[in-house]
Every structure is written in structure tokens, then in C-alpha cells.
Amino acid sequence: MNSDENIKLTGELDESIIDEIIDDDLDEAYSEIISQSTVHDRFQFESKFDFDLNIYKNQEKNKKYFVDFYFFIPKNIGINSETYPREAFYSNLTNYLRIRTPEIFRWDTKDINSWTLYWSDKYFKISFSTKKRQKLAEIVIYEVRLFGCFINTHLKKIENMFFNLFFKNENKHNIEKKLKIIDHKIEDLYLIINKYREKYSKKINENMILMEDEVKKVFIVTDEFISYRLEFILVKILQKMKDKNITHFNIYQNIEEILLKEFNYRLASNFINFEDSKNTSLPEIYYFRIGVLKKYILEVLYLQSEIVKKEKVYRNIIAATGAGLAATWAVMTDIQRVKMINDSGDAGIRLFLLFVIGISAYIFKDRIKEISKEYFNQKLKKYIPDFEKKIFYDYIDIEGEIKKKLIAISSEFMRYLNKENIPPEIIYIRDLGARKDIDPEKNEVVINYSKKINFDSDCLKDSENKINFIRDISRFDINEFLNKLDDPDKILRYFDPKKGVIIREAPKVYHINAVIKYKIEHEKNDGTKSYNIEFERIRIIFNKRGIVRIENVLSRGEIKYKE
């Protein structure tokens, strides 16, 4: 493949998603929500939520997740409902939903030779029948990309298993024992990779199979992606073993041998290699290339969503209600006018009253309409989502066709809150650790961003497309928060008894405190409901140049209750 052909793989997924490596599909114990907030780049922070969808654990009928963010923003930053409306908030928010890598490529380590890609094998067998081949092309592309995700996931499991040896301070005997296990896992996985190359990549490179260009591309590109990821993980393990001076174990020599084989394989396959390269732009080309490859492979795990805007519907309902009240007023005044006309009193007074009532009816009809619209909008907007998303999942059915199923509906809204509208438990958590003597009254603007995800329990129970975990990735850009900030470096002067007057630079930073409320609704088969509620608090520290760091003030689950 030439470089131009390689680079133009896909443009369907946002560029920022290329950094989302599958590093979460691990065999570790999961709670119902796993959360993580990190700095994504200088201007964006990222929150990830893993939702456990396994409704069989407690024999549940249904499960709903609610995530509420409460952002406490200092007023001197200049963010309020006038300078930063709802539309600006959503333009700075990016959401992705994806599944964990499906375990559809399980293998028996005692019989790896029988391992295969089911639909790819069928495709290869009918390669001379163009019509039949084209019918299977889409499913083969889907299957091979899933295989790339599968290999990458198991590489990450190996990496995590290895590095946990040192985080947990294992003794020498346990380290030696677990290194042997890791060595076997690497060997087994490498056998699968070579099986893939022998059964598919080799035949394609030697033009032994008739196939569509897109199918050919997915096999070669997935092979290249696997090679880069394999080298990346194994080099990290090798370097750590050097640092720990444990290079005498067999795993070290075995990894070196695999890396040498991979180097030669990439050389023969015209993939990127770094040996004695005089091309100074090669690292740039490599990182761009690996980003494009990750986009292409990972895209298969991301759920499709369709926005259902309901704001117009709600506005029309409220407007119709206002119009109805105004019409009621008009009818009542008309009835009164008719009664007065039929009265036998003084004609002049009746004419004057009819004139007053007519003008009043005209004036108040329009005002009732407008005031009622404002009133109902204010009262109901906290219950009305800004928009809803229908979430779809693509899967392979038993007939080998890619089907799309609606698995969830997500509702979101963003509101500015007055102090009296903030829940007491949120205020309590916000004030934890505060010094009342220097900050008796916080001068903050509060934004509440809420998300509710209602999963389709019947779809999740379907063994044909079973999904156990969904990851929600939310990234928020703070660029508009930086406009009115002071310079990030200030001059600090103080007196030192030994050195006299000291002048030095001091950083000028700002804090946004965020309290996150997690609520999980469990609905039993008998219709009873229960709720698990947990809280978390983070602090986003930033300056004029962007985000400095994120601090975890209160870990999720330290404060929790059931209702």
C-alpha cells in the first residue's frame, strides 16, 4: 500500500476520538458505574462513565442511569446566562457512546490451529462468485475491524496485568509466577495474530483471492494496526523489565524475539519502521498514521445516535396553552358585553363600560397569552429536556447481516440554578473542606447539566446482540471561560530574614468545582423500584493558557445512600 492510499481511510469519526484507545475492556471487578475525569488536552477536560447493563444480576426488569453535573463557576470569570447561553454550552460539549469489545473471538488455547474468522472464511470460499461475495463484503469488513479491537483489548489486558505486578508490590515468587502466565498469554495471542496473517493477509498480499477493494483494505489496515499496537505494548513491558533489572526471565528474551519478527514483517509489508531512518518527519508521519488507523478500527465500537429535538413541540404546547387562556378571557369578556347590551340601564354608562371592556379585553388577551407562556416555560423547563437522543447498536445477526437496533434513549438538559434551587446535599458536598472564616459567602454561578439514559431491557436480554457495558465519553471545551482571566504569571514579593526582599513569579489560577451525582434506578420484575445514589467532587484548575490539572476532592462512593 502506498502512503496516500493508506492515509485516506475514513473521515466519519471526529478527529479528537483518535486518542481513545481501548484501555478499559479489562477483566476487573466493575461497579454499576465506573467514572474517570481527566485532562484531555489544554482546553478540554474529559469524563468517562462505564454503565453496567447486566440486568440478570438482580433479576431486574429495567435499569436507568442519571448523571447530574453541578458546576460552581466564580462570577469573576464572566460566565452567566447572558454571556454564555445554553447553545454555547452544547457547542462546547462533545459526546460519544461506545460498547466494550464483544467477546466473539474466544479461542481454546489447546487448539489455536482451529481458530478462524467465520464470515471471512465464507467470503474467501466464494471468492469466484461476485454476487455472493459482494453480499458478504459489509459483514466481513465489520468482523475484521472487530477482530482488530479484540487483539488490541487483549494486548491492554496483558499490559495491565504486567504493570499491576509492580503497583501491588508483589513478592519475587509471585512476580516470577505471574510473568510465566503473562509470557504464555503473549505467546497465545501472537499465535492468533500469525494465524490471521497466514489465513488472510498472506493470501491477499499474494493476490490469491478475488475481493472488493474495501475488503482488501480492511484486512491489510487491521494487520498494520495490530503490528504497531503489539510493538507499542511489548516495548513498554521490555523497558519496565530493564528498569526493574529483571531481564533474566524467559519472557524478556521471548518479547525481544517477537519484536524482531515484527520489525522484519513490517519491513516486508511496507509498514512504517524506524531503523536508521534519516527521514526527520517519520515520527510525525507515524503518529498521524496510527491516529488514522485507530479511528478506522475503533469506529466499529461506537454507537450511532439520532437527535430528537422536542423543544419546538414543547414550545408549541405552551403557546397553545397560552392561546387557550387568552381565548377563554376573550369569550368571558364577550359574554359580559352581551349581557350589558341587553341590560336596560343608562345608555351612556353602558356605552362607556362596553368601550372599557372592549379595550381591556383586547389588551389583556395579548398579555395573558405572553405571561402564561413565560410562566409555564419557567415552571416546566426544569422537567423538559433540551433534546433526546435515540441510541442504536449495529450487530451481526444469525443470518450474517448487519442490523441496527434501538437500545436506549438519552435525555439531556442544561440549566442555570439560583442558590435556593440547588439540592441541599449538593451544597453540602460543595462546602466540604471550605474555610468559613475567609470565604463565608461564595460568589458563584451554578450550571446544572443532567443526563438520563434509559436502556431497552428487552433488547439487552436478547442473546443475539448482548451488551454488558456501555462507555459514555464527554469532553468539554473551556475556551470561552478564558476570555476575561488575568495573566497566568504574577509577581510575588516577600521578605526573607536571610536573603531580604525576594521577587519571584507566582501562578495565577482559577477553580471550577464540579459536584457529580450518580443515580441508578433498579426496577424489579414485580414493578418495585429502588435507587442507588453516589456523589463525587472534582476541582478543575486552569489559567489563561488553559487547564492546569484536575484534582479529585471527593472520590465517587465515599458519600452514598439508597432509597
Side-chain angles (χ1 to χ4, degrees):
M1 260 187 171
N2 60 52
S3 58
D4 290 337
E5 184 183 0
N6 274 344
I7 286 174
K8 294 179 181 178
L9 293 175
T10 181
E12 298 176 17
L13 205 58
D14 190 284
E15 286 293 329
S16 62
I17 205 63
I18 65 174
D19 295 324
E20 176 58 26
I21 301 175
I22 312 173
D23 57 357
D24 58 322
D25 298 327
L26 309 177
D27 291 328
E28 298 176 0
Y30 274 82
S31 64
E32 290 184 290
I33 295 182
I34 299 293
S35 61
Q36 182 185 25
S37 294
T38 57
V39 178
H40 180 258
D41 58 42
R42 193 153 57 99
F43 299 113
Q44 294 184 96
F45 70 87
E46 178 178 83
S47 292
K48 299 177 183 178
F49 308 104
D50 286 322
F51 300 112
D52 180 0
L53 308 184
N54 193 342
I55 59 177
Y56 291 102
K57 290 180 180 178
N58 300 310
Q59 296 299 311
E60 295 169 334
K61 180 182 178 182
N62 205 359
K63 185 183 286 186
K64 295 179 183 178
Y65 288 89
F66 303 80
V67 180
D68 268 300
F69 277 87
Y70 294 86
F71 295 100
F72 293 82
I73 306 165
K75 280 191 176 180
N76 60 346
I77 292 178
I79 295 295
N80 55 57
S81 58
E82 294 181 359
T83 63
Y84 192 68
R86 188 182 309 169
E87 293 74 20
F89 178 87
Y90 282 114
S91 69
N92 292 327
L93 180 67
T94 305
N95 282 115
Y96 299 102
L97 282 169
R98 77 165 183 83
I99 62 171
R100 291 181 67 190
T101 306
E103 288 286 348
I104 62 174
F105 302 108
R106 295 183 183 276
W107 73 87
D108 185 351
T109 55
K110 295 178 182 178
D111 192 18
I112 288 180
N113 288 327
S114 66
W115 174 88
T116 188
L117 294 176
Y118 177 77
W119 295 108
S120 299
D121 273 2
K122 291 191 70 171
Y123 180 89
F124 274 41
K125 287 176 183 177
I126 59 170
S127 62
F128 291 103
S129 174
T130 303
K131 191 173 182 180
K132 291 181 179 179
R133 197 180 66 231
Q134 288 176 343
K135 187 178 179 181
L136 283 178
E138 187 180 9
I139 193 65
V140 169
I141 293 170
Y142 183 84
E143 181 183 50
V144 174
R145 290 163 78 186
L146 274 182
F147 172 73
C149 296
F150 165 82
I151 293 295
N152 189 68
T153 294
H154 282 271
L155 283 170
K156 291 298 296 181
K157 288 180 180 180
I158 289 169
E159 180 191 15
N160 277 272
M161 187 176 179
F162 174 81
F163 280 94
N164 280 340
L165 291 176
F166 307 102
F167 290 135
K168 295 178 180 179
N169 296 318
E170 298 273 10
N171 59 49
K172 289 184 179 180
H173 176 72
N174 283 343
I175 287 177
E176 182 176 359
K177 183 179 177 181
K178 290 184 178 180
L179 281 176
K180 288 181 180 179
I181 296 173
I182 294 170
D183 192 19
H184 287 307
K185 287 183 178 291
I186 293 173
E187 182 182 349
D188 289 340
L189 196 62
Y190 197 54
L191 284 173
I192 294 292
I193 293 170
N194 283 324
K195 193 71 177 175
Y196 169 83
R197 289 168 174 171
E198 181 184 324
K199 291 193 70 171
Y200 309 111
S201 298
K202 183 180 178 181
K203 293 178 181 178
I204 293 168
N205 287 325
E206 294 175 357
N207 295 314
M208 296 169 60
I209 299 292
L210 292 174
M211 60 176 52
E212 284 67 35
D213 289 340
E214 283 298 312
V215 176
K216 180 178 180 180
K217 181 176 73 176
V218 75
F219 278 104
I220 301 303
V221 163
T222 301
D223 192 7
E224 183 183 2
F225 172 75
I226 289 171
S227 182
Y228 295 148
R229 293 296 296 152
L230 180 67
E231 181 186 48
F232 178 79
I233 298 297
L234 295 188
V235 165
K236 285 177 71 176
I237 292 174
L238 216 60
Q239 186 62 49
K240 186 69 173 180
M241 292 186 73
K242 279 186 178 180
D243 295 342
K244 293 291 183 179
N245 196 25
I246 52 173
T247 58
H248 57 282
F249 290 107
N250 288 337
I251 185 175
Y252 188 88
Q253 287 74 35
N254 292 341
I255 288 177
E256 280 192 323
E257 185 179 338
I258 290 174
L259 288 173
L260 179 59
K261 288 179 181 178
E262 279 304 297
F263 177 86
N264 292 327
Y265 182 77
R266 285 197 301 276
L267 207 60
S269 303
N270 198 27
F271 298 158
I272 296 173
N273 264 326
F274 286 98
E275 185 190 33
D276 298 328
S277 175
K278 296 180 181 179
N279 185 354
T280 56
S281 65
L282 194 59
E284 177 186 325
I285 295 171
Y286 171 80
Y287 273 108
F288 180 81
R289 177 67 182 160
I290 193 66
V292 174
L293 290 172
K294 282 190 284 186
K295 281 173 56 182
Y296 182 74
I297 301 299
L298 294 183
E299 188 181 44
V300 72
L301 295 179
Y302 282 81
L303 298 172
Q304 306 301 313
S305 62
E306 177 184 305
I307 295 178
V308 182
K309 291 188 176 181
K310 292 193 172 182
E311 196 169 324
K312 288 183 179 179
V313 176
Y314 295 135
R315 278 206 306 262
N316 288 335
I317 291 173
I318 291 171
T321 303
L325 290 172
T328 302
W329 166 262
V331 169
M332 289 175 64
T333 54
D334 283 343
I335 292 172
Q336 186 62 34
R337 287 166 63 189
V338 170
K339 287 177 64 178
M340 292 186 67
I341 291 173
N342 294 328
D343 283 348
S344 58
D346 185 273
I349 295 175
R350 277 188 294 145
L351 183 62
F352 174 74
L353 290 175
L354 286 171
F355 180 74
V356 171
I357 291 173
I359 294 175
S360 300
Y362 179 81
I363 294 173
F364 284 104
K365 177 184 174 183
D366 288 339
R367 293 313 304 151
I368 288 172
K369 187 177 180 180
E370 293 302 317
I371 291 171
S372 61
K373 280 170 60 179
E374 290 179 11
Y375 175 80
F376 287 117
N377 188 53
Q378 288 294 325
K379 289 294 182 182
L380 296 177
K381 70 178 182 180
K382 63 181 179 180
Y383 304 108
I384 298 172
D386 297 327
F387 54 84
E388 289 185 348
K389 287 181 184 176
K390 292 182 178 179
I391 300 167
F392 298 93
Y393 170 53
D394 292 340
Y395 67 97
I396 307 172
D397 71 3
I398 57 176
E399 301 296 329
E401 294 185 14
I402 298 178
K403 295 289 184 67
K404 178 180 286 189
K405 259 197 175 180
L406 176 66
I407 64 167
I409 294 179
S410 170
S411 304
E412 300 176 49
F413 70 75
M414 172 270 194
R415 305 286 184 263
Y416 282 91
L417 298 180
N418 297 322
K419 187 174 180 180
E420 56 270 17
N421 294 328
I422 305 172
E425 66 267 26
I426 301 299
I427 295 176
Y428 170 77
I429 293 171
R430 167 64 186 98
D431 290 340
L432 281 176
R435 291 186 59 182
K436 302 293 184 181
D437 56 334
I438 62 172
D439 192 13
E441 185 67 33
K442 293 180 177 63
N443 198 16
E444 295 174 323
V445 173
V446 181
I447 292 178
N448 174 214
Y449 168 66
S450 182
K451 176 182 289 188
K452 178 180 76 173
I453 304 180
N454 186 9
F455 292 101
D456 186 330
S457 57
D458 292 333
C459 179
L460 298 176
K461 288 178 181 177
D462 189 347
S463 59
E464 187 178 84
N465 53 93
K466 187 177 179 182
I467 308 170
N468 285 333
F469 287 88
I470 283 183
R471 164 162 279 197
D472 184 328
I473 305 163
S474 297
R475 292 179 186 148
F476 190 75
D477 192 310
I478 68 163
N479 256 302
E480 294 189 49
F481 287 58
L482 311 180
N483 297 331
K484 296 185 179 181
L485 302 190
D486 291 341
D487 290 335
D489 299 315
K490 294 292 184 180
I491 300 300
L492 176 64
R493 296 177 176 86
Y494 62 92
F495 179 77
D496 186 293
K498 295 180 180 179
K499 298 179 181 180
V501 176
I502 303 294
I503 301 175
R504 60 182 294 184
E505 283 190 347
K508 171 68 173 178
V509 296
Y510 298 80
H511 295 174
I512 292 178
N513 282 273
V515 177
I516 311 169
K517 178 182 179 181
Y518 305 93
K519 182 177 179 181
I520 307 168
E521 177 187 294
H522 301 272
E523 184 179 355
K524 301 291 185 181
N525 289 322
D526 61 4
T528 59
K529 296 180 181 180
S530 63
Y531 301 90
N532 292 339
I533 298 169
E534 297 182 354
F535 297 91
E536 182 180 11
R537 180 178 156 199
I538 60 173
R539 182 180 294 122
I540 304 157
I541 299 172
F542 60 102
N543 60 23
K544 186 77 172 178
R545 298 191 185 100
I547 300 173
V548 177
R549 65 183 181 276
I550 292 179
E551 293 180 348
N552 185 26
V553 181
L554 179 74
S555 297
R556 182 181 56 81
E558 286 188 29
I559 296 179
K560 60 183 178 180
Y561 62 89
K562 292 185 178 182
E563 64 177 34

